[in-house]
Structures are given as structure tokens and as C-alpha cells.
């Protein structure tokens, strides 16, 4: 009996002494009025956009610091992606069909695009591929492409979409985020309202649903090999394992955190995700006193 009591006491002691899980790292964006996209900038730094003010922040996630990097009054900054080879930051400009390109060495705006219908197109996100930069239009079944050419950027073109990834009728909110395989030969888009993910052929515009992936309120995607993370506005990130041709996926778990407040985008950092909290349900524009990046286990 004494041995049993001693064993129980030892177990209880170990349980009490066991360290708690590491707290979520929180990086507040100084003076932000909203927050949306995030992209790696190299050297352990990242860029994040202020959706309604257009400001670009630069963060050092390892140090847990953030600074205002590019001031862009009169613009918006939805999705962002960085081309390290050219030191160019591509910014989806949201309303008015706008998009911008900044040279991060000088912080100068080097391109200002108006895509689609300036009255109704909403340029929500962007991905840089070896061939150029692709932008989504949340209200029309089309993508916009800015090619890389010798000496700079080529003329934009529009790619009409077909298949299920084209969504419903124009004017209904559909596509949100866009990502790509490393080669750029396959694009993936997140459709927020149906909670689906689609592949798109960048040459033809043909789309296919990734069967088995159901992610309500999906706003952003992270792809690493055949592993997919779907960032959802309902305060969760779902994990998926995709098959080799990206036609099917199966669930491998869900990430939650009490600090999630409408997470809107993420990037992979080793075994972690850096997740942007949007607080978007607090109003339009949102009214949260702070906007932050949370570093959580992937």
C-alpha cells in the first residue's frame, strides 16, 4: 500500500512539475488600423499589409518585433507576396481593381495597375511564380497576370476561368487567396463562401475542385509539399494532406488558439505558422485596438 501511495504521489508530483506548453508569441503591428496579407521577406523578416490604410509593415518574427516600413496613403493592401530575385513587393490593392508593386530597397512604388472593371473588381490576393505575379478578383471569374520580362514587368493580361473554380455569377463574392506550386504550373485558390479549394491551370484557366477539402470561411492557404493549411475566419486553421496530383485531400487535424480573432492569412516558419489576426468582424473598417501576428504550432 505504501508503495502504491508513493507511486501515486510521484505521478502527481511529475504532473504538477511538468512545464506548460509555450505561450503563443504575439507581435503587434504598430499603429495598424487593420491587417491582412503576410509574406516572407528573407533573413527571418516578413511583410504584412494594413488592408484599409495601405501601410506595409516589416516584422522580425524571431525577435518578436514589427515596424512601419512603407507608408502608402490613399491605397489599400490586401494580399502581399515578395519576389526576392527582384526585391519587388506585389500588393493586391482590393477595391477599384487596384494592384501595386514596391521596390523594397528604395520603398518606391514602381508600378500601379488597374485590373478588370474598376467599379466592381476586388483584387484580393497575389502570388509570385517564376513566370510572374497572379492576382485574384473576388467578384469576377478571372485572374490577372503580370509577367516577368527582361528588365522588368510586362503588360498585364486577364485569364478567364472555367469549371467549378469560376464560381457563380459575376458580382457574388467567391475567390479570395491564391497560391502556387513551386514551378508555377498549378495555381490553388481559396473560395470563401462555399469553403472550397480549387486548382487552376495557368495556361487555360480550367479549374478543378480538390475533392475532400471542406474548409468553411476559408480565406487563405499555405502549401508545403503535399501538406495544405486552410486559414478560416471562424477562428481555426485546418490541416490537409493532398494526393500527388492535388485532386483529393484528407483532413489531418485542426489548429485553434484562444487568441485567434478572424485569422486571415499565414506563412510557414519551420514548425510554426505566423498567423495574421484581422478582427474583421469588429466592423468595416474593423475597430480593434490592436492588430497582430500570432506564432503558433503548425
Amino acid at each position: 500500500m505504501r508503495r502504491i501511495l508513493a507511486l501515486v504521489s510521484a505521478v502527481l508530483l511529475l504532473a504538477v512539475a511538468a512545464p506548460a506548453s509555450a505561450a503563443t508569441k504575439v507581435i503587434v503591428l504598430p499603429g495598424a488600423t487593420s491587417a491582412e496579407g503576410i509574406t516572407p521577406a528573407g533573413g527571418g523578416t516578413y511583410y504584412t499589409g494594413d488592408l484599409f490604410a495601405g501601410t506595409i509593415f516589416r516584422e522580425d518574427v524571431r525577435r518578436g518585433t514589427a515596424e512601419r516600413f512603407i507608408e502608402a496613403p490613399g491605397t489599400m493592401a490586401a494580399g502581399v507576396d515578395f519576389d526576392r530575385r527582384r526585391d519587388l513587393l506585389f500588393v493586391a490593392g482590393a477595391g477599384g481593381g487596384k494592384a501595386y508593386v514596391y521596390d523594397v530597397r528604395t520603398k518606391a512604388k514602381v508600378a500601379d495597375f488597374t485590373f478588370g472593371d474598376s467599379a466592381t473588381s476586388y483584387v484580393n490576393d497575389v502570388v509570385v511564380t517564376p513566370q510572374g505575379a497572379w492576382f485574384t478578383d473576388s467578384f469576377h471569374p478571372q485572374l490577372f497576370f503580370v509577367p516577368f520580362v527582361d528588365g522588368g514587368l510586362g503588360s498585364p493580361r486577364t485569364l478567364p476561368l472555367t469549371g467549378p473554380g469560376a464560381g457563380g455569377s459575376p458580382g457574388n463574392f467567391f475567390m479570395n487567396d491564391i497560391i502556387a506550386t513551386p514551378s508555377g504550373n498549378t495555381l490553388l485558390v481559396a473560395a470563401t463562401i462555399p469553403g472550397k479549394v480549387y486548382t487552376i491551370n495557368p495556361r487555360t484557366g480550367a479549374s478543378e475542385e480538390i475533392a475532400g477539402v471542406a474548409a468553411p470561411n476559408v480565406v487563405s492557404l499555405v502549401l508545403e509539399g503535399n501538406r495544405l493549411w486552410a486559414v478560416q475566419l471562424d477562428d481555426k486553421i485546418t490541416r490537409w494532406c493532398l494526393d500527388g496530383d492535388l485532386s483529393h485531400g484528407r483532413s489531418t487535424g485542426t489548429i485553434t488558439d484562444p487568441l485567434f480573432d478572424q485569422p486571415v492569412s499565414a506563412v510557414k516558419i519551420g514548425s510554426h505558422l505566423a498567423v495574421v489576426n484581422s478582427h474583421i468582424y469588429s466592423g468595416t473598417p474593423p475597430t480593434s485596438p490592436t492588430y497582430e501576428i500570432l506564432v503558433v504550432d503548425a
Side-chain angles (χ1 to χ4, degrees), residues 25-38:
K25 180 183 288 186
V26 179
I27 304 170
V28 175
L29 302 175
T33 63
S34 57
E36 185 150 339
I38 185 170

PDB file of all heavy atoms in Angstrom, residues 25-38:
ATOM      1  N   LYS A  25       3.311  33.369 -29.288  1.00  0.00           N
ATOM      2  CA  LYS A  25       4.019  34.631 -29.458  1.00  0.00           C
ATOM      3  C   LYS A  25       3.101  35.618 -30.164  1.00  0.00           C
ATOM      4  O   LYS A  25       2.461  35.286 -31.162  1.00  0.00           O
ATOM      5  CB  LYS A  25       5.292  34.420 -30.273  1.00  0.00           C
ATOM      6  CG  LYS A  25       6.109  35.706 -30.490  1.00  0.00           C
ATOM      7  CD  LYS A  25       7.318  35.472 -31.366  1.00  0.00           C
ATOM      8  CE  LYS A  25       8.381  34.684 -30.640  1.00  0.00           C
ATOM      9  NZ  LYS A  25       9.634  34.588 -31.451  1.00  0.00           N
ATOM     10  N   VAL A  26       3.032  36.833 -29.646  1.00  0.00           N
ATOM     11  CA  VAL A  26       2.172  37.872 -30.197  1.00  0.00           C
ATOM     12  C   VAL A  26       3.042  39.050 -30.647  1.00  0.00           C
ATOM     13  O   VAL A  26       3.824  39.578 -29.861  1.00  0.00           O
ATOM     14  CB  VAL A  26       1.135  38.358 -29.164  1.00  0.00           C
ATOM     15  CG1 VAL A  26       0.261  39.457 -29.762  1.00  0.00           C
ATOM     16  CG2 VAL A  26       0.285  37.195 -28.675  1.00  0.00           C
ATOM     17  N   ILE A  27       2.906  39.446 -31.920  1.00  0.00           N
ATOM     18  CA  ILE A  27       3.655  40.579 -32.462  1.00  0.00           C
ATOM     19  C   ILE A  27       2.650  41.632 -32.906  1.00  0.00           C
ATOM     20  O   ILE A  27       1.907  41.423 -33.871  1.00  0.00           O
ATOM     21  CB  ILE A  27       4.536  40.149 -33.650  1.00  0.00           C
ATOM     22  CG1 ILE A  27       5.476  39.014 -33.235  1.00  0.00           C
ATOM     23  CG2 ILE A  27       5.323  41.339 -34.185  1.00  0.00           C
ATOM     24  CD1 ILE A  27       6.203  38.371 -34.385  1.00  0.00           C
ATOM     25  N   VAL A  28       2.597  42.737 -32.210  1.00  0.00           N
ATOM     26  CA  VAL A  28       1.634  43.793 -32.517  1.00  0.00           C
ATOM     27  C   VAL A  28       2.181  44.687 -33.623  1.00  0.00           C
ATOM     28  O   VAL A  28       3.348  45.092 -33.597  1.00  0.00           O
ATOM     29  CB  VAL A  28       1.323  44.628 -31.259  1.00  0.00           C
ATOM     30  CG1 VAL A  28       0.407  45.800 -31.604  1.00  0.00           C
ATOM     31  CG2 VAL A  28       0.681  43.749 -30.197  1.00  0.00           C
ATOM     32  N   LEU A  29       1.338  44.984 -34.609  1.00  0.00           N
ATOM     33  CA  LEU A  29       1.719  45.875 -35.705  1.00  0.00           C
ATOM     34  C   LEU A  29       1.497  47.318 -35.254  1.00  0.00           C
ATOM     35  O   LEU A  29       0.356  47.720 -35.009  1.00  0.00           O
ATOM     36  CB  LEU A  29       0.882  45.566 -36.938  1.00  0.00           C
ATOM     37  CG  LEU A  29       0.977  44.119 -37.450  1.00  0.00           C
ATOM     38  CD1 LEU A  29       0.007  43.893 -38.598  1.00  0.00           C
ATOM     39  CD2 LEU A  29       2.402  43.767 -37.854  1.00  0.00           C
ATOM     40  N   PRO A  30       2.547  48.119 -35.124  1.00  0.00           N
ATOM     41  CA  PRO A  30       2.415  49.453 -34.517  1.00  0.00           C
ATOM     42  C   PRO A  30       1.563  50.404 -35.356  1.00  0.00           C
ATOM     43  O   PRO A  30       1.834  50.645 -36.531  1.00  0.00           O
ATOM     44  CB  PRO A  30       3.864  49.944 -34.432  1.00  0.00           C
ATOM     45  CG  PRO A  30       4.594  49.166 -35.481  1.00  0.00           C
ATOM     46  CD  PRO A  30       3.934  47.833 -35.531  1.00  0.00           C
ATOM     47  N   GLY A  31       0.504  50.903 -34.749  1.00  0.00           N
ATOM     48  CA  GLY A  31      -0.336  51.884 -35.413  1.00  0.00           C
ATOM     49  C   GLY A  31      -1.221  51.337 -36.505  1.00  0.00           C
ATOM     50  O   GLY A  31      -1.812  52.115 -37.269  1.00  0.00           O
ATOM     51  N   ALA A  32      -1.356  50.017 -36.595  1.00  0.00           N
ATOM     52  CA  ALA A  32      -2.179  49.429 -37.658  1.00  0.00           C
ATOM     53  C   ALA A  32      -3.656  49.729 -37.420  1.00  0.00           C
ATOM     54  O   ALA A  32      -4.127  49.788 -36.281  1.00  0.00           O
ATOM     55  CB  ALA A  32      -1.961  47.927 -37.712  1.00  0.00           C
ATOM     56  N   THR A  33      -4.386  49.913 -38.512  1.00  0.00           N
ATOM     57  CA  THR A  33      -5.834  50.091 -38.446  1.00  0.00           C
ATOM     58  C   THR A  33      -6.582  48.866 -38.949  1.00  0.00           C
ATOM     59  O   THR A  33      -7.810  48.805 -38.843  1.00  0.00           O
ATOM     60  CB  THR A  33      -6.261  51.304 -39.280  1.00  0.00           C
ATOM     61  OG1 THR A  33      -5.936  51.071 -40.667  1.00  0.00           O
ATOM     62  CG2 THR A  33      -5.547  52.566 -38.810  1.00  0.00           C
ATOM     63  N   SER A  34      -5.846  47.908 -39.499  1.00  0.00           N
ATOM     64  CA  SER A  34      -6.376  46.638 -39.967  1.00  0.00           C
ATOM     65  C   SER A  34      -5.171  45.794 -40.372  1.00  0.00           C
ATOM     66  O   SER A  34      -4.030  46.279 -40.333  1.00  0.00           O
ATOM     67  CB  SER A  34      -7.332  46.823 -41.157  1.00  0.00           C
ATOM     68  OG  SER A  34      -6.679  47.503 -42.218  1.00  0.00           O
ATOM     69  N   ALA A  35      -5.406  44.548 -40.767  1.00  0.00           N
ATOM     70  CA  ALA A  35      -4.291  43.701 -41.188  1.00  0.00           C
ATOM     71  C   ALA A  35      -4.820  42.583 -42.061  1.00  0.00           C
ATOM     72  O   ALA A  35      -5.916  42.071 -41.839  1.00  0.00           O
ATOM     73  CB  ALA A  35      -3.556  43.128 -39.970  1.00  0.00           C
ATOM     74  N   GLU A  36      -4.010  42.207 -43.069  1.00  0.00           N
ATOM     75  CA  GLU A  36      -4.459  41.106 -43.918  1.00  0.00           C
ATOM     76  C   GLU A  36      -3.322  40.197 -44.367  1.00  0.00           C
ATOM     77  O   GLU A  36      -3.098  39.164 -43.792  1.00  0.00           O
ATOM     78  CB  GLU A  36      -5.263  41.624 -45.121  1.00  0.00           C
ATOM     79  CG  GLU A  36      -5.841  40.483 -45.930  1.00  0.00           C
ATOM     80  CD  GLU A  36      -7.141  40.824 -46.630  1.00  0.00           C
ATOM     81  OE1 GLU A  36      -7.816  41.779 -46.207  1.00  0.00           O
ATOM     82  OE2 GLU A  36      -7.481  40.132 -47.580  1.00  0.00           O
ATOM     83  N   GLY A  37      -2.590  40.535 -45.429  1.00  0.00           N
ATOM     84  CA  GLY A  37      -1.640  39.593 -46.010  1.00  0.00           C
ATOM     85  C   GLY A  37      -0.307  39.571 -45.298  1.00  0.00           C
ATOM     86  O   GLY A  37       0.090  40.523 -44.629  1.00  0.00           O
ATOM     87  N   ILE A  38       0.420  38.440 -45.483  1.00  0.00           N
ATOM     88  CA  ILE A  38       1.772  38.307 -44.947  1.00  0.00           C
ATOM     89  C   ILE A  38       2.602  37.492 -45.918  1.00  0.00           C
ATOM     90  O   ILE A  38       2.095  36.569 -46.556  1.00  0.00           O
ATOM     91  CB  ILE A  38       1.760  37.666 -43.542  1.00  0.00           C
ATOM     92  CG1 ILE A  38       3.173  37.649 -42.936  1.00  0.00           C
ATOM     93  CG2 ILE A  38       1.156  36.275 -43.574  1.00  0.00           C
ATOM     94  CD1 ILE A  38       3.210  37.247 -41.459  1.00  0.00           C
TER      95      ILE A  38
END
